[in-house]
Amino acid sequence: MNTLTKRLLWIAVCCLPFISGCKQPNENAVSKNAISDALYRNLPFEMPEVQQPAFPAYEVNIEKFGAKGDGLFLNTKAINDAIKDVNQRGGGKVIIPEGIWLTGPIELLSNVNLYTEQNALVLFTGDFEAYPIIDTSFEGLETRRCQSPISARNAENIAITGYGTFDGNGDCWRPVKKEKLTASGAMACKDFNVPEGINTDEEWAEIRPWLRPVLLSIVKSKKVLLEGVTFKNSPSWCLHPLSCEDFTVNNIMVINPWYSQNGDAIDLESCKNALIINSVFDAGDDAICIKSGKDEDGRRRGEPCQNVIVKNNTVLHGHGGFVVGSEMSGGVKNIYVEDCTFMGTDVGLRFKSTRGRGGVVENIY
């Protein structure tokens, strides 16, 4: 090896840490500049630019509110108190530093950016009693489920960003199938996973372990950003935006085991103006899925999922790489999918429904 070759090799090796470091998301990425205007050029339908959240400079560390990152202390109150503090002060950043942060449900509020530093692991408790049974929508039907580990409702200008990981502790929930229940083993179900004939709070409580929540549920919210972080091991679906507007998924990872029941990566339901870009999905069921409600409940809601760009994503395992349905009674339109790689899916593109479901699917590119 001559001297010049040795010098070039030495330079290359020395530069590797800096090159790999460039792959980390930009810490100032919560801004319009983080999303290229080129995304909207030459679209085959008219679509407004997706609005991005912006936050004041105020920030707090969850340790200020008594949080402990030892993997043992339950931080539910500390994290939610930090979120409430930032919300009441007009907005800003809630910082989750390096550590293992055991917690129950986290509720996001308007004008809050939940920011995770490198080596921050938010681990949701496997204690089912920590998740109240609430009215919600699941698989396109109005029903009751356990509260999601991460949720927001009627919020505006919210984000989850940074470098950390949110672990839904899904293996605590997944083994529980309806045939394994004892108290309500003969329970009737409406369309697979939505129970019927459960009337009292006591009856609902008996089947609590079976009411697996989605990891992240964001409902009727505007200007939402998920960027840079990893979501993994969801009890059922991983990410479920419902009836949201201006929703952005950028440079995230979603990782579910191949065996996870209903382990969809992202189910964008009845949302308007959304981006799913630059991300990696590894799912136990459908990966990138577009929905708008099921049957009568979906038709009553009457909200199509529309104006969505899906670009530069990689799907590893999954039952479908890009999927429309089967809950699409409210309609789906104006969806643009480009530059996506489906590496281990049993189906790349899937459109699914059933007779009588209703809904029109149109302008899918």
Side-chain angles (χ1 to χ4, degrees):
M1 185 181 296
N2 60 41
T3 303
L4 178 60
T5 303
K6 289 180 179 178
R7 288 180 179 177
L8 290 174
L9 182 60
W10 182 84
I11 291 171
V13 171
C14 289
C15 287
L16 274 175
F18 300 98
I19 294 171
S20 61
C22 292
K23 294 181 181 179
Q24 294 288 353
N26 184 347
E27 290 203 33
N28 299 316
V30 188
S31 69
K32 181 179 180 299
N33 295 330
I35 308 298
S36 171
D37 293 339
L39 277 173
Y40 305 94
R41 293 176 193 158
N42 303 317
L43 282 180
F45 49 82
E46 290 189 8
M47 173 177 168
E49 290 193 11
V50 177
Q51 296 183 59
Q52 300 300 313
F55 304 93
Y58 180 72
E59 60 183 46
V60 298
N61 190 305
I62 60 171
E63 291 178 307
K64 175 183 175 182
F65 295 84
K68 299 177 183 179
D70 58 6
L72 300 173
F73 181 80
L74 191 65
N75 294 288
T76 313
K77 185 177 185 302
I79 295 174
N80 284 294
D81 283 351
I83 290 171
K84 291 173 185 175
D85 175 80
V86 171
N87 167 261
Q88 292 168 359
R89 291 174 182 267
K93 181 186 292 185
V94 172
I95 299 173
I96 300 180
E98 178 178 350
I100 302 176
W101 308 93
L102 182 67
T103 183
I106 296 172
E107 297 182 45
L108 281 176
L109 301 174
S110 294
N111 303 313
V112 173
N113 174 16
L114 187 63
Y115 177 83
T116 53
E117 294 183 342
Q118 288 189 2
N119 301 319
L121 171 62
V122 179
L123 176 62
F124 290 96
T125 177
D127 177 9
F128 299 155
E129 297 295 325
Y131 303 90
I133 298 172
I134 63 170
D135 294 329
T136 186
S137 176
F138 183 65
E139 293 193 339
L141 298 172
E142 300 305 313
T143 183
R144 302 187 78 190
R145 306 291 289 185
C146 288
Q147 181 176 341
S148 290
I150 309 170
S151 65
R153 181 178 287 268
N154 296 316
E156 186 166 352
N157 202 57
I158 58 177
I160 301 176
T161 64
Y163 309 95
T165 296
F166 294 87
D167 190 323
N169 215 347
D171 279 334
C172 292
W173 300 84
R174 288 190 198 103
V176 181
K177 298 181 180 180
K178 62 181 180 181
E179 63 265 28
K180 293 183 180 179
L181 294 176
T182 53
S184 302
M187 176 180 57
C189 288
K190 181 179 181 180
D191 293 312
F192 305 111
N193 291 308
V194 176
E196 287 185 309
I198 309 297
N199 300 310
T200 67
D201 289 343
E202 290 75 16
E203 289 174 330
W204 281 103
E206 285 182 6
I207 62 168
R208 184 191 301 269
W210 188 78
L211 300 174
R212 296 175 292 126
V214 301
L215 174 57
L216 178 142
S217 172
I218 299 184
V219 182
K220 294 184 179 179
S221 298
K222 297 181 178 180
K223 289 200 292 186
V224 181
L225 174 66
L226 309 178
E227 185 171 69
V229 296
T230 296
F231 300 94
K232 62 183 294 189
N233 294 333
S234 59
S236 61
W237 293 353
C238 196
L239 309 179
H240 184 206
L242 172 63
S243 299
C244 292
E245 188 171 344
D246 292 312
F247 197 98
T248 299
V249 170
N250 182 29
N251 192 28
I252 70 167
M253 292 188 68
V254 175
I255 306 171
N256 271 344
W258 63 268
Y259 56 82
S260 57
Q261 304 165 32
N262 314 110
D264 296 13
I266 180 168
D267 293 277
L268 192 74
E269 183 172 357
S270 294
C271 292
K272 180 179 180 180
N273 304 334
L275 303 174
I276 302 174
I277 56 176
N278 309 321
S279 296
V280 176
F281 303 100
D282 194 357
D285 206 322
D286 296 329
I288 303 168
C289 200
I290 309 297
K291 301 178 181 290
S292 62
K294 181 183 285 186
D295 300 337
E296 183 181 350
D297 286 357
R299 292 191 293 271
R300 187 188 310 114
R301 184 197 300 153
E303 296 177 9
C305 197
Q306 60 185 321
N307 298 345
V308 182
I309 297 174
V310 180
K311 183 177 174 67
N312 193 34
N313 301 293
T314 298
V315 176
L316 303 176
H317 297 99
H319 289 340
F322 170 79
V323 179
V324 174
S326 64
E327 305 92 279
M328 35 64 68
S329 298
V332 174
K333 62 183 179 181
N334 296 347
I335 315 291
Y336 190 74
V337 184
E338 183 177 37
D339 294 339
C340 291
T341 301
F342 306 141
M343 299 180 68
T345 60
D346 55 3
V347 174
L349 307 175
R350 174 181 277 139
F351 298 81
K352 54 184 177 178
S353 184
T354 192
R355 286 178 184 238
R357 181 146 297 170
V360 176
V361 176
E362 58 187 339
N363 293 347
I364 315 295
Y365 298 86

